[in-house]
Amino acid sequence: MLFERIGYGGMANIYLARRRTEPGAGKLFVIKEILPDLATNGRAVEMLVEEARISMCFEHPNVVHVYDVRVVDGQVFLAMEYVPGQTLRAWQRTNPPLGERLEIGRAHV
């Protein structure tokens, strides 16, 4: 079940979702959906599928896990781990301008 769009980029929308399980249980995750106007662009679709394929090869605590990639009615979706916290975009709005280094201790906040 999709809740809300929590982000976007040049290729995709990002939605918060919950996987339906037994009553009272469920896990939050993220759905990355290729933008509708790119869904018919073969190269864009190929790039997103390749991103999923490569990402699914990683098992590391500092890399978001990609659970699955699906194509439904020509639309590509990635199911990914949800990591709560502030986005880099939000952090940049409230912190020093570009050109200053991001302290390593803040990178995982």
Side-chain angles (χ1 to χ4, degrees):
M1 166 189 307
L2 294 180
F3 289 117
E4 63 181 298
R5 187 174 86 161
I6 59 173
Y8 63 92
M11 280 188 66
N13 286 312
I14 308 295
Y15 296 93
L16 184 61
R18 181 181 305 274
R19 188 167 128 207
R20 293 183 185 193
T21 60
E22 293 297 317
K27 181 173 179 146
L28 291 175
F29 63 102
V30 166
I31 296 293
K32 185 173 187 176
E33 167 201 43
I34 194 163
L35 294 173
D37 55 330
L38 293 177
T40 58
N41 180 324
R43 179 67 182 130
V45 170
E46 182 181 306
M47 287 172 57
L48 192 61
V49 170
E50 183 71 359
E51 173 188 331
R53 188 189 67 72
I54 291 169
S55 298
M56 291 173 95
C57 294
F58 290 99
E59 289 288 336
H60 191 279
N62 295 338
V63 176
V64 171
H65 185 75
V66 176
Y67 299 115
D68 200 3
V69 59
R70 298 278 171 105
V71 179
V72 178
D73 296 328
Q75 189 73 340
V76 180
F77 299 92
L78 277 61
M80 305 169 70
E81 174 184 13
Y82 170 65
V83 179
Q86 188 177 38
T87 65
L88 179 59
R89 183 177 289 160
W91 183 87
Q92 286 176 323
R93 285 189 202 116
T94 59
N95 285 277
L98 294 176
E100 295 190 27
R101 298 184 80 143
L102 175 63
E103 301 160 16
I104 198 74
R106 303 273 325 224
H108 59 79
V109 174

